[in-house]
Amino acid sequence: MLLLLYTLNFVGINYALSGERSNENTSFSIATNGQLFPWNNLRLPSWILPVHYDLLIHPNLTSLTFMGSVKIEVTVVHETSAIVLHSKHMEITSAAIEEETGKTQADLKQLQVLEYPFHEQIAFLSTEPLLVDKKYFLSINYIANLSDGFYGFYKSTYKTKDGQTRLLASTHFEPTSARMAFPCFDEPSFKANYTIKIRRDGQHIALSNMPKVKTLHLDTNLFEDHFAESVKMSTYLVAFIVSDFQSVSGTTSSGIKVSVYATPEKLNQAHYALEAAIKILEFYEQYFDIYYPLPKQDLVAVPDFQSGAMENWGLTTYRETSLLYDPETSSASDKLWVTMVIGHELAHQWFGNLVTMEWWNDIWLNEGFARYMEFISVDATYPELQVNDYLLGTCFAAMGRDSMNSSRPISSKAENPTQIKEMFDTVSYDKGACILHMLRNFLTEEVFQNGIIHYLKKHSYRNAKNNDLWNSLANTCSEEDFTSGKFCFSKGQVAKNAYRYYVDEHFDIAEIMNTWTLQKGIPLIIVEQNKKRIKIRQERFLKGIFPHEPQWSSMQIGFLWHVPLTYITSHSKSIGKHLLKNHSDTVELEEDISWIKFNVDMNGYYIVHYEGNGWDTIIKLLNENYTLFSYKDRANLIHNAFQLVSAGRLSLDRALDLTRYLQHESSNIVLLQGVGYLQVIYHMMERRNISDVTENLKHYILQHFKLVIDSQTWSDEGSVSDRMLRSHLLELACDLEYLPCVQKANEIFRKWMISGGNLTNVPSDVMETVYSVGSKTADGWNFLLERYKVSMSGAEQSKICSALASCKDDAKLTRLLELAMEGHTIKTQDLPSVIYSVSTNPAGQQLAWRFVKKNWSKMLEKFPLGSFSMRSIIVGATAQFSSKQELEEVKLFFESVKEEVSQLRAPHTAVENIEKNIKWLERNLVTLRKWILENL
């Protein structure tokens, strides 16, 4: 960037910076016309505040452009002659301002427009100062192109059954893309009301956040829809869509109209989402004790969509696979996914929309809560989905990310759009959900629920920070509670309640929780048991960096958590609790014990290591009577053991010994957890071509789990948990070339292929396995690709894509990658998942990485740098590497694109991941080889 450090005098601008100018950047900003831009900070000045937007949008789906006009009512806080707001890729055709008393065109004062694209800002300059506490109306006319990507006001397409391509236009503004659709104060704290009008032709409908109140017929085929004024909200929640979609509708018990919109030919897949949305919306109204504040809630399946879904207030938008459910092609896991995504987006109507984080550094207040409320809402409305079992996996994923040095604190600094986009990650979502789960168990369900109700009521239609949440949880009493005599908790009562088992402790919720949100990482709790005396100490848990290495000590400095520990023992009749505030402590029990297990049901966010003979005792107990521990405790023990192997704390043979009892395991969740680790190790050996270990491990898995594999039926019968186990085990068995599995899959595939894909008797839970086996022949692969092109089910297309990526033919894998890059047959939105699927295939890992390097520039044109898509491409394409040569290749590539990726965490994560894999192999290969030979 070229900085022009000379001073330009501009008559008529009153800078009125009043301390707003950035301390870090004292240079001047120069507008595109060479004049001095009156602001040099990424964040907008707060001297002008928006009150109301009157917005008119007219898209042209033929020319792929749109015209817009917006009238923004603003209040002046500091006298100024410059209004600075956001604008990106728009041409401003005119701008004028009038005072609140202005009634005629003569009162409009034309404004000069300056642009500063580097900060995505524009300034409107007035010849007269705008006075404090006065209302003004800023009128702007502009034109722009519909965006070609997935942000702003963008074009989307879909194909009908007879091959016609239809166009629509939809919005996605979070986090910083409302400025691509209309000039605005595009920061979450600048909340305002919106009145939206949309022009469209006769064959289309228009949707926005609020219900339509009237339609004007302007011309032969031109209509203007007027929508009711919105509630006060942030710019990133504004939404509008022009399409030919159709809908199914229903009404909640409180009178909210709920509608699910989809392309006409997929409308039959919208019914389950409608049922789920009504149930979950009704649940949230009860749980939060706050009625949903809008008269309607639309859920729209958008054919081109980068993320999973978006919570625009009253108009939530979804990727088709996150909303549509086809009983013939959607598996049990697809149904669970759709239900949870709906639960997530509807939770946002309160967490995020009603109460919004003040700035993006605390995006976890939106996303962590919405991720956690998925589990609470779906458990309450669809208990048969057994959703709480999958919270374990969410926390395991968060721990995997958080045990890397390249992790970050939940609450982290984020200023520019790239840094802000990178905040939408595992840490904000999954770790956020898991520390809330820990807090809920610590405070009790009653206190937790009362606290979040208090938080939502106190900060409704406003913005909040971390501490606002902690204060609400520490004191759930509001003015209304005192006057109405409702039950609530004062700060003292909360302490008493939470510490029914924490004798004589005093605590401060903010002090405890800041150790989880303001520092990165995860604690390792080291337990040393001696009869009734339990010594505990905490360290920072790091994978791939061992205690004997020189950098380990420096990475421990300054890390200390307040850990709400829970434990059970050989003699306990209830759950023991202890708040660990220091690096070490001692728990004195009432009597001698033979064993202790910390982190009961994995309700805490920490790893536990049992020193001395602690692990030997646990392994013995599992072999003798595994039901001593709950199924969540068993999954937690397996997870901890393998994590400790990666940290150099436990030998691999001990972790593998712990899994030996699994052939008797009755819990599907625990079985999947244990088999999952063996599968990961198997694939690592296969990719590195360590053939003796690969073959022996394959035989061990098939021998050890033969009974449970053979007992699986090729059907969609049983509970959700049974069905998900079936999907996973049969996929694994066929992947391991288990003959009965391969033969059965081939038999089903051949019948399906002979019927021209018309038979509907491929059970959805085994569909991906059947397709993957079928894709191994040239005819099968080509047939699947043709089927992909005509399928009207996103769930089926997703399974076909995974199957196509599992073949061993280089030419076909290359073709698949190229089709995803072109974006016609396979949509661009699916490119990251195609790259990842190919990279996990041993035959495709080098191919996928070469493809990423070759097409890097093209990918950056399709996906913004900090986006989830680019992060998953960077980390996904390299995640399987485990050699020093691959490490050097990856480092060299990131060095060659250093200027582009310098702000990103993802390359550091990718490199650290490969280093971890290399160390794992160096440390464990000999042990693994020996253990398998001994146990075959």
Side-chain angles (χ1 to χ4, degrees):
M1 180 177 67
L2 182 69
L3 291 175
L4 303 174
L5 298 175
Y6 54 87
T7 305
L8 290 171
N9 292 315
F10 189 80
V11 181
I13 301 181
N14 170 12
Y15 283 89
L17 291 176
S18 68
E20 297 269 5
R21 190 175 287 282
S22 165
N23 294 325
E24 295 172 17
N25 178 10
T26 53
S27 60
F28 295 105
S29 303
I30 305 301
T32 49
N33 67 351
Q35 287 181 215
L36 183 63
F37 195 78
W39 187 243
N40 73 339
N41 199 330
L42 271 163
R43 302 271 288 269
L44 293 179
S46 57
W47 59 51
I48 301 271
L49 301 178
V51 176
H52 183 269
Y53 290 79
D54 206 328
L55 179 63
L56 170 66
I57 296 282
H58 182 188
N60 184 325
L61 295 183
T62 307
S63 65
L64 302 180
T65 58
F66 67 98
M67 292 190 299
S69 68
V70 63
K71 181 185 267 195
I72 312 173
E73 180 188 330
V74 296
T75 317
V76 180
V77 178
H78 296 299
E79 186 178 306
T80 179
S81 300
I83 304 174
V84 181
L85 59 160
H86 288 110
S87 171
K88 184 180 179 183
H89 302 329
M90 281 187 282
E91 184 189 334
I92 308 296
T93 52
S94 68
I97 196 162
E98 60 183 317
E99 288 185 40
E100 58 183 311
T101 51
K103 295 281 185 266
T104 65
Q105 197 64 29
D107 293 312
L108 282 172
K109 298 180 179 71
Q110 295 303 310
L111 301 173
Q112 186 187 358
V113 185
L114 295 182
E115 292 184 57
Y116 188 55
F118 187 66
H119 285 172
E120 301 176 357
Q121 291 172 356
I122 50 174
F124 297 102
L125 309 180
S126 169
T127 51
E128 296 170 16
L130 308 178
L131 304 176
V132 175
D133 291 340
K134 280 197 118 174
K135 264 190 203 166
Y136 292 89
F137 293 86
L138 174 64
S139 297
I140 308 162
N141 294 309
Y142 59 98
I143 51 173
N145 293 320
L146 287 172
S147 170
D148 214 12
F150 303 92
Y151 286 97
F153 191 25
Y154 67 94
K155 73 173 173 72
S156 175
T157 62
Y158 72 91
K159 277 198 167 70
T160 61
K161 259 185 184 155
D162 57 7
Q164 284 181 47
T165 298
R166 300 257 172 96
L167 280 142
L168 61 133
S170 181
T171 58
H172 187 108
F173 293 159
E174 189 179 35
T176 58
S177 295
R179 63 194 69 173
M180 294 171 71
F182 59 103
C184 56
F185 297 82
D186 199 11
E187 292 176 11
S189 60
F190 288 107
K191 291 194 171 190
N193 301 85
Y194 293 81
T195 304
I196 294 173
K197 304 182 189 78
I198 298 174
R199 288 183 182 165
R200 57 166 177 89
D201 56 30
Q203 74 263 34
H204 289 127
I205 59 162
L207 300 171
S208 189
N209 305 82
M210 300 298 288
K212 186 170 71 174
V213 288
K214 67 175 177 182
T215 298
L216 304 180
H217 194 167
L218 302 181
D219 206 344
T220 314
N221 195 34
L222 183 63
F223 298 84
E224 185 175 283
D225 292 333
H226 292 217
F227 297 89
E229 183 179 346
S230 79
V231 294
K232 198 175 179 186
M233 61 185 182
S234 303
T235 45
Y236 76 87
L237 295 170
V238 176
F240 34 88
I241 297 172
V242 174
S243 70
D244 65 349
F245 289 180
Q246 291 175 3
S247 66
V248 292
S249 299
T251 309
T252 68
S253 54
S254 60
I256 308 301
K257 185 182 179 186
V258 179
S259 305
V260 180
Y261 286 83
T263 63
E265 287 165 327
K266 293 182 182 177
L267 192 62
N268 62 329
Q269 300 172 42
H271 297 284
Y272 176 70
L274 178 65
E275 174 207 296
I278 289 172
K279 270 192 185 182
I280 292 171
L281 202 59
E282 288 175 343
F283 167 77
Y284 282 143
E285 288 191 320
Q286 295 299 311
Y287 189 87
F288 297 137
D289 192 31
I290 299 170
Y291 282 116
Y292 174 72
L294 274 56
K296 61 97 174 173
Q297 168 64 230
D298 296 335
L299 300 86
V300 186
V302 181
D304 296 278
F305 203 84
Q306 190 178 339
S307 52
M310 176 60 210
E311 67 265 22
N312 320 297
W313 217 344
L315 182 62
T316 51
T317 48
Y318 300 75
R319 190 181 273 229
E320 288 185 331
T321 49
S322 298
L323 188 67
L324 302 181
Y325 176 78
D326 178 3
E328 287 183 1
T329 57
S330 297
S331 64
S333 57
D334 292 329
K335 187 173 200 173
L336 180 66
W337 171 251
V338 166
T339 318
M340 290 185 77
V341 176
I342 292 169
H344 183 99
E345 301 314 318
L346 294 183
H348 271 311
Q349 308 301 297
W350 286 265
F351 277 101
N353 299 11
L354 185 65
V355 180
T356 314
M357 76 277 134
E358 195 166 283
W359 183 249
W360 301 107
N361 61 312
D362 279 334
I363 186 58
W364 86 276
L365 288 174
N366 287 15
E367 299 302 348
F369 257 109
R371 173 59 46 91
Y372 189 43
M373 291 309 301
E374 291 173 31
F375 293 95
I376 292 176
S377 64
V378 176
D379 182 48
T381 52
Y382 289 92
E384 70 277 12
L385 293 179
Q386 297 165 289
V387 71
N388 279 330
D389 292 353
Y390 306 100
L391 180 61
L392 292 171
T394 298
C395 298
F396 293 155
M399 289 172 170
R401 176 75 192 91
D402 217 17
S403 56
M404 313 276 273
N405 195 43
S406 57
S407 188
R408 64 169 183 84
I410 284 182
S411 190
S412 300
K413 187 181 177 187
E415 290 297 323
N416 65 45
T418 298
Q419 291 167 342
I420 291 166
K421 284 188 184 80
E422 252 203 325
M423 293 293 287
F424 291 78
D425 67 355
T426 303
V427 174
S428 290
Y429 286 71
D430 296 350
K431 182 179 180 180
C434 296
I435 67 159
L436 288 170
H437 179 65
M438 179 170 68
L439 183 61
R440 182 178 175 221
N441 278 276
F442 173 68
L443 293 177
T444 73
E445 159 62 24
E446 187 181 26
V447 178
F448 181 80
Q449 187 179 352
N450 276 290
I452 60 177
I453 289 170
H454 183 226
Y455 169 78
L456 289 170
K457 287 184 175 178
K458 185 175 180 182
H459 300 283
S460 287
Y461 304 104
R462 291 191 291 150
N463 299 78
K465 300 193 287 286
N466 254 353
N467 269 350
D468 295 318
L469 176 62
W470 310 142
N471 290 338
S472 291
L473 285 163
N475 184 359
T476 67
C477 300
S478 67
E479 293 297 321
E480 180 196 338
D481 291 328
F482 284 124
T483 53
S484 67
K486 277 187 190 171
F487 177 70
C488 67
F489 293 99
S490 69
K491 201 163 187 172
Q493 284 171 309
V494 172
K496 219 173 183 177
N497 200 47
Y499 274 89
R500 280 179 295 188
Y501 303 106
Y502 296 79
V503 183
D504 296 330
E505 291 272 12
H506 297 283
F507 74 97
D508 176 334
I509 290 181
E511 186 186 15
I512 293 169
M513 295 311 295
N514 283 341
T515 70
W516 297 95
T517 58
L518 302 183
Q519 68 181 342
K520 66 180 177 180
I522 177 173
L524 170 65
I525 305 300
I526 299 163
V527 178
E528 190 185 337
Q529 177 199 336
N530 184 5
K531 295 180 179 174
K532 64 179 178 182
R533 171 172 281 199
I534 314 297
K535 288 183 180 175
I536 46 178
R537 65 184 197 273
Q538 64 165 295
E539 293 172 358
R540 179 186 173 198
F541 180 73
L542 286 164
K543 275 205 294 202
I545 300 158
F546 303 149
H548 65 265
E549 292 178 320
Q551 72 267 42
W552 188 84
S553 296
S554 63
M555 290 179 175
Q556 295 291 330
I557 295 168
F559 285 89
L560 179 70
W561 288 264
H562 289 193
V563 191
L565 298 173
T566 55
Y567 57 88
I568 49 169
T569 71
S570 53
H571 288 61
S572 58
K573 293 177 178 60
S574 58
I575 295 170
K577 299 191 175 190
H578 181 82
L579 184 66
L580 177 64
K581 292 180 174 180
N582 302 311
H583 286 289
S584 61
D585 206 345
T586 303
V587 178
E588 293 282 354
L589 301 174
E590 289 177 3
E591 57 188 317
D592 291 354
I593 56 161
S594 56
W595 59 264
I596 190 165
K597 196 272 171 190
F598 276 84
N599 201 359
V600 179
D601 284 339
M602 209 187 124
N603 288 328
Y605 187 76
Y606 51 92
I607 304 277
V608 185
H609 177 42
Y610 302 92
E611 281 194 331
N613 63 355
W615 281 106
D616 294 334
T617 304
I618 286 166
I619 291 165
K620 188 167 177 284
L621 286 167
L622 286 169
N623 281 315
E624 289 170 357
N625 179 13
Y626 67 85
T627 60
L628 278 171
F629 303 108
S630 72
Y631 75 94
K632 288 183 180 178
D633 275 337
R634 301 196 297 271
N636 175 227
L637 286 166
I638 292 168
H639 172 262
N640 276 203
F642 282 95
Q643 297 306 301
L644 290 164
V645 171
S646 293
R649 292 285 188 169
L650 191 67
S651 62
L652 178 62
D653 53 357
R654 303 314 283 132
L656 291 168
D657 284 345
L658 188 142
T659 66
R660 291 197 59 202
Y661 91 93
L662 281 171
Q663 57 189 325
H664 309 296
E665 177 59 71
S666 58
S667 163
N668 296 342
I669 294 299
V670 184
L671 198 53
L672 281 175
Q673 181 68 20
V675 171
Y677 278 112
L678 296 172
Q679 190 175 0
V680 165
I681 295 169
Y682 168 77
H683 284 310
M684 183 187 271
M685 298 302 116
E686 187 186 24
R687 285 186 201 96
R688 285 300 302 274
N689 204 19
I690 306 169
S691 52
D692 64 316
V693 182
T694 305
E695 281 305 303
N696 287 338
L697 186 52
K698 177 196 290 189
H699 292 310
Y700 173 78
I701 295 169
L702 290 174
Q703 173 188 304
H704 203 65
F705 297 102
K706 185 176 190 303
L707 283 175
V708 70
I709 289 170
D710 287 346
S711 69
Q712 301 305 312
T713 60
W714 293 72
S715 70
D716 286 338
E717 295 162 359
S719 69
V720 170
S721 171
D722 290 338
R723 294 174 64 185
M724 288 172 81
L725 180 74
R726 175 186 304 131
S727 292
H728 192 92
L729 284 183
L730 291 178
E731 182 190 337
L732 173 63
C734 283
D735 188 32
L736 296 176
E737 298 167 330
Y738 182 49
L739 202 57
C741 183
V742 175
Q743 286 174 338
K744 182 66 176 176
N746 264 322
E747 179 195 326
I748 297 171
F749 186 79
R750 277 196 303 272
K751 284 181 183 172
W752 179 71
M753 205 163 121
I754 289 164
S755 77
N758 293 321
L759 273 181
T760 56
N761 65 348
V762 183
S764 59
D765 291 332
V766 297
M767 192 177 277
E768 191 170 324
T769 298
V770 169
Y771 288 174
S772 292
V773 170
S775 75
K776 301 300 185 281
T777 67
D779 284 351
W781 198 91
N782 291 327
F783 184 82
L784 281 165
L785 182 59
E786 290 309 306
R787 172 71 185 181
Y788 182 93
K789 292 174 185 175
V790 298
S791 175
M792 283 287 132
S793 161
E796 184 186 28
Q797 286 185 317
S798 178
K799 294 174 182 66
I800 292 173
C801 227
S802 289
L804 294 173
S806 72
C807 86
K808 305 297 178 190
D809 184 317
D810 274 15
K812 288 186 169 59
L813 292 174
T814 302
R815 187 177 172 208
L816 183 67
L817 288 163
E818 285 168 350
L819 285 171
M821 178 57 86
E822 284 164 14
H824 301 305
T825 304
I826 297 172
K827 283 186 168 286
T828 301
Q829 66 180 12
D830 296 317
L831 176 60
S833 63
V834 170
I835 291 171
Y836 179 72
S837 296
V838 172
S839 77
T840 56
N841 177 348
Q845 60 174 355
Q846 287 295 337
L847 197 71
W849 174 237
R850 287 196 299 271
F851 183 82
V852 169
K853 291 193 290 186
K854 181 183 170 187
N855 293 283
W856 177 257
S857 299
K858 288 183 188 170
M859 287 176 189
L860 284 182
E861 289 168 16
K862 294 175 185 290
F863 308 112
L865 197 53
S867 65
F868 173 75
S869 295
M870 277 312 292
R871 294 201 309 275
S872 60
I873 287 169
I874 290 168
V875 177
T878 57
Q880 318 305 323
F881 290 163
S882 57
S883 74
K884 287 178 178 173
Q885 183 190 341
E886 288 164 333
L887 176 63
E888 285 314 305
E889 271 182 42
V890 170
K891 281 181 173 176
L892 276 172
F893 175 70
F894 288 134
E895 187 61 33
S896 73
V897 292
K898 190 170 161 184
E899 206 170 311
E900 289 161 354
V901 302
S902 61
Q903 299 175 53
L904 295 185
R905 287 189 186 88
H908 302 290
T909 306
V911 166
E912 196 179 352
N913 218 6
I914 301 166
E915 290 170 341
K916 172 180 67 73
N917 292 346
I918 292 168
K919 279 190 182 173
W920 194 98
L921 264 174
E922 287 173 351
R923 184 181 167 88
N924 296 304
L925 183 57
V926 173
T927 308
L928 177 64
R929 184 177 271 129
K930 182 169 177 279
W931 188 89
I932 296 168
L933 287 171
E934 287 171 355
N935 285 277
L936 258 179

